[in-house]
Structure formats: structure tokens, C-alpha cells
């Protein structure tokens, strides 16, 4: 039996409409050193049927279906437990590998890094349009020594909210604490940064992945994730300097009016959100008044002002509004943004639900 060098580990749930192209992109690149593990968190759609079709033509695709949904963290941890490869690529269930990606990673594995990070391009939900040519602005590969954990967190910490970029030595994964991070939604980040890494990390500059942006499944938890869960995880790494952690996330972003206004424009901050998450935490009348007032602001007006700002005056003028989740806000009204060259007339009805930290 050939030794497996790389296990592509996919945790999935109700992705029958998308997982087929994902598997096809991997299988078309796979060598005898590659296997695929699909851990299904109790899908109720045709995910099993789709995976079985690909399994028939690729025997190193192993499919496991759980009886109950245990959550994304536990599902990825279970997928790694089932893997046989020397390295595990924690891949997403609706994105695609770019041509040559597997060979590039197999070549990197020969360098015996503990962790490999793959760059990615970002496309819209149907993959027809490139929104961002590469997430990490690198022109050449970069190596972080085992003692450069703070630089690694500062430079690419926010990118690691995308789990599909992580290729980790299975021995390293198994040696780290995992259960502590179940429920964080970012177990891989906890595994990486809980203590100094014993080996070097390679960040591959060339984009190896096409991210299908705007297709994630976290609409009702968007504010909770980016205002609380992600900051809490980052700031739990006590051995990193505060200035380093602040580059990956503000400690309490929900205290900033600017952040709340941005979430209001995106449709993820409402009076219900305020009452559930902020009112119990705010300790002054002034801060409660400010936060409550923002929740009552007309969403369509705030969205329009945000669109105007980021299209002309923001940090990155011209950034596609899809990447800011403004066009996909329920408050976005296309008829009001003809200045940007758009002619749509219907109001948007769905919010982009990709895992992405707020820009403010």
C-alpha cells in the first residue's frame, strides 16, 4: 500500500449542490499519495449521494456520515482522527483547488514544515468573477521560524479565519489541545497558536484555492462570531503581546460605534442583537444609549452611506462591495447606486454569510 502523504479533510453539512465540484477539483489533481476524507455532520440533502458518485471513481475517497450534527470544530477534529496522511489539509466543502495545487503542496511537504498555509483567490458565489486576486499580498513564499509565532499571528491571523488554507502535520495536530476550542468555530486557530510551534511554517504565496465567497451558512450568528467568538479566541492566547493580537482582532470591537455602524449597514446589527449581546455588557448609560441608537438607525440609509464611503473614501477605494458584505445586505437597494455603474432595480434580500471578520 502506498504511503499517504496528504489527507484532504472536509467537514460538510448539506452541501450537495456544491461539494461535487470541490471533490472533482481535488480528484483531478490527486496522486497516489493523496486521500480524501469527507466527514458529514448528518446532512439531510443529497450530500451522501453526490459523494458516493465520486467515491466510485476514486477509491481513496472515504466518506463518514454522523447521526447527529456535532458542530464544525468537532467534525474537522474527527476528520483528522480518521485520516492516514502525514499532513492534513483542512479543506472547505464548497471551494475549489486551482490547477497544480496538490503538486505544490506535496513539494512543500518535502520541506518537513509543521504548518503550511496556502494562499487563495476570492470569487463570487458562482465563481464567475474574481473579487480578490489573492488574499495574502505576497510575491514570494515566506517561512516563519518556530520562534516567530507572534509575527505569524500578526501577519496572517485574520486570514486564518478561512480554514481551507491550513495544511498541518497530523502528528502536530494530535499533540495539541483541541477540545478546549470546540465551539469556538475556529478550532484550527486554537491548535496553531495555543503555544509556540515546534517546527517552521511555510506560507505559499501563489493562490492555490478559489474561495466561493458569499456561500457560508452563518447568517444568524454573524455578529456573535465577529464581535465575540473570534476576538475571544484571539485574546485567549495570553503568551502573545497585546499589540500582536490587536492586528488579528480588536479585543472588544462591539464597543466601537464605527463597528456597530458597519454591522448595521450589513444588516447584522439590530435592536434584537443589541438587547441580546450588548445591553447586558455595557456598564454606562451613555454607551447603552449610543449602541441602542445605532440599532434603531434606518438600515437602508446607513447602508447607502457605507457604500458611498467605501466606494470613494475608504481604506481601499474600489474594493468590490461583495467583499464588504454591503451589496448582499437586506438594506442594499441597487437602484440607489447607479454611480457605481450598476443598473439593478430590485432590493437585495439575502445577506452574504461567508466567514469573514468585519473590516472595522
Amino acid at each position: 500500500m502506498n504511503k499517504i502523504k496528504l489527507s484532504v479533510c472536509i467537514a460538510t453539512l448539506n452541501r450537495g449542490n456544491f461539494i461535487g465540484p470541490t471533490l472533482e477539483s481535488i480528484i483531478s489533481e490527486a496522486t497516489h499519495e493523496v486521500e480524501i476524507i469527507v466527514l458529514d455532520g448528518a446532512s439531510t440533502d443529497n450530500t451522501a449521494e453526490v459523494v458516493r458518485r465520486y467515491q466510485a471513481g476514486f477509491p481513496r475517497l472515504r466518506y463518514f456520515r454522523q447521526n447527529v450534527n456535532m458542530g464544525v470544530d468537532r467534525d474537522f477534529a474527527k476528520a483528522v482522527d480518521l485520516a492516514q496522511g502525514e499532513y492534513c489539509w483542512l479543506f472547505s466543502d464548497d471551494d475549489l483547488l486551482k490547477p497544480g495545487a496538490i503538486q505544490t503542496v506535496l513539494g512543500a511537504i518535502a520541506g518537513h514544515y509543521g504548518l503550511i498555509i496556502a494562499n487563495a483567490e476570492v470569487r463570487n458565489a458562482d465563481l464567475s468573477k474574481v473579487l480578490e486576486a489573492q488574499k495574502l499580498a505576497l510575491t514570494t513564499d515566506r517561512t516563519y521560524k518556530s520562534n516567530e509565532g507572534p509575527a505569524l499571528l500578526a501577519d496572517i491571523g485574520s486570514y486564518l479565519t478561512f480554514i481551507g488554507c491550513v495544511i498541518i502535520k497530523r502528528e502536530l495536530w494530535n499533540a495539541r489541545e483541541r477540545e478546549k476550542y470546540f465551539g469556538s468555530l475556529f478550532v484550527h486557530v486554537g491548535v496553531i497558536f495555543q503555544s509556540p510551534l515546534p517546527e517552521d511554517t511555510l506560507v505559499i504565496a501563489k493562490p492555490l484555492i478559489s474561495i466561493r465567497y458569499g456561500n457560508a451558512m452563518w447568517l444568524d450568528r454573524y455578529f456573535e462570531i465577529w464581535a465575540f467568538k473570534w476576538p475571544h479566541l484571539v485574546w485567549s492566547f495570553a503568551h502573545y503581546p497585546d499589540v500582536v493580537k490587536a492586528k488579528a482582532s480588536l479585543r472588544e470591537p462591539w464597543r466601537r460605534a464605527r463597528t456597530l455602524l458597519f454591522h448595521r449597514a450589513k444588516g447584522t446589527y439590530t435592536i434584537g442583537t443589541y438587547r441580546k449581546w450588548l445591553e447586558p455588557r455595557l456598564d454606562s448609560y451613555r454607551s447603552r444609549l449610543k449602541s441602542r441608537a445605532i440599532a434603531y438607525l434606518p438600515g437602508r440609509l446607513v447602508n447607502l452611506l457605507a457604500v458611498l464611503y467605501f466606494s470613494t473614501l475608504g481604506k481601499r477605494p474600489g474594493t468590490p462591495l461583495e467583499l464588504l458584505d454591503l451589496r448582499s445586505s437586506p438594506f442594499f437597494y441597487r437602484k440607489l447606486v447607479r454611480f457605481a455603474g450598476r443598473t439593478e432595480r430590485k432590493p437585495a434580500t439575502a445577506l452574504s454569510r461567508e466567514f469573514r471578520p468585519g473590516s472595522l
Side-chain angles (χ1 to χ4, degrees), residues 159-188:
Y159 176 55
L160 288 173
T161 58
F162 169 54
I163 193 171
C165 71
V166 175
I167 302 117
I168 189 168
K169 187 176 285 189
R170 186 160 59 94
E171 180 182 22
L172 171 60
W173 175 278
N174 288 334
R176 314 283 271 191
E177 173 66 36
R178 300 180 296 282
E179 289 192 15
K180 176 181 178 179
Y181 302 103
F182 289 170
S184 71
L185 305 181
F186 303 102
V187 61
H188 58 293

Side-chain angles (χ1 to χ4, degrees), residues 314-334:
K315 294 179 180 178
R316 294 183 298 168
T319 297
L321 298 180
E322 292 94 334
L323 290 179
L324 299 172
D325 293 323
L326 292 174
R327 283 192 71 187
S328 49
S329 167
F331 298 132
F332 180 78
Y333 196 62
R334 293 172 170 86

Side-chain angles (χ1 to χ4, degrees), residues 140-152:
T140 59
D141 296 350
R142 178 168 180 181
T143 299
Y144 291 82
K145 298 297 184 182
S146 58
N147 63 351
E148 292 185 297
L152 182 67

